[in-house]
Amino acid sequence: MLFRSPIRDNTGKLLGFSKVTRDLTERKRFARELKHERDRLRLLLDLNSSFASNLDLHQLFGAISAGVRSVTKCDAVVLSLPESDMKSLRIYAIDFPEGKGFLKEGVAYPIERSIASRALETSKPFLFGGVPASLHSAMQYLLVNEGLKSVWALPLCRGGSVLGVLNLACFEEGAFTQ
């Protein structure tokens, strides 16, 4: 930002100008951080309202998914829950308006070599910038045919144990950052 002020002598004759510049880089960074925090708090408030007003898991998932998609700009949100044998996951709910129908509710896939396996094992979010070659062939087939190129697996934890995985996916490669 640039400010200019005239410099005059005692008679009012213009002698020149003074110039003051201000670097707004730090202010802009702070504004971005503030917007990010405001979006995060808005999402938490929306999620809290959803929890309070929805008793059905599918309705709750729909409300959560809409909030998550508005903040992350992802193309798909998929809730996967482990089967009782803990060897496979089942897609319990999906919000994927532009999906081609390959990813569907009820589809089961092996936990081993799945994107969700890392989140299940570590209880920490795991980010894939592209569809990994080491992925189980059935899941790789589904993601490639849907056109999804980035996935963020978020473990759903309670009391130290992982109950399931919320997968966010995007058509754009490298769409998510840590």
Side-chain angles (χ1 to χ4, degrees):
M1 187 174 279
L2 179 65
F3 296 100
R4 287 188 183 171
S5 298
I7 299 174
R8 301 184 186 274
D9 66 10
N10 293 344
T11 64
K13 179 180 173 187
L14 182 65
L15 299 174
F17 290 92
S18 72
K19 178 169 72 170
V20 177
T21 59
R22 179 179 289 170
D23 185 1
L24 298 177
T25 306
E26 187 68 19
R27 183 180 285 180
K28 289 178 182 178
R29 183 189 61 77
F30 180 71
R32 280 192 310 271
E33 289 176 3
L34 188 60
K35 181 188 179 312
H36 174 74
E37 185 64 15
R38 190 174 44 243
D39 289 346
R40 188 182 75 81
L41 291 173
R42 187 177 324 127
L43 176 61
L44 289 173
L45 181 61
D46 290 346
L47 292 177
N48 188 42
S49 296
S50 297
F51 285 126
S53 63
N54 290 301
L55 299 176
D56 176 74
L57 186 55
H58 274 90
Q59 289 176 335
L60 178 61
F61 175 78
I64 290 171
S65 175
V68 167
R69 288 183 63 219
S70 72
V71 171
T72 63
K73 309 298 185 232
C74 65
D75 297 303
V77 181
V78 179
L79 174 63
S80 296
L81 302 175
E83 296 285 271
S84 58
D85 63 3
M86 295 303 289
K87 292 183 180 179
S88 59
L89 289 165
R90 185 167 303 278
I91 296 175
Y92 184 80
I94 186 166
D95 180 9
F96 190 15
E98 296 178 41
K100 298 174 185 169
F102 292 97
L103 281 173
K104 300 179 206 171
E105 286 185 14
V107 170
Y109 56 94
I111 290 176
E112 185 181 353
R113 292 180 26 225
S114 71
I115 288 177
S117 66
R118 218 35 149 348
L120 288 167
E121 292 166 4
T122 65
S123 299
K124 294 182 179 172
F126 199 76
L127 179 66
F128 290 92
V131 177
S134 61
L135 194 61
H136 189 277
S137 60
M139 184 51 67
Q140 192 175 37
Y141 170 83
L142 292 174
L143 293 174
V144 168
N145 284 315
E146 288 289 0
L148 296 169
K149 296 179 181 161
S150 297
V151 180
W152 196 13
L154 304 166
L156 301 173
C157 302
R158 180 174 181 230
S161 62
V162 181
L163 304 174
V165 179
L166 190 66
N167 297 291
L168 310 181
C170 193
F171 293 124
E172 179 185 332
E173 194 164 321
F176 304 111
T177 62
Q178 291 295 344

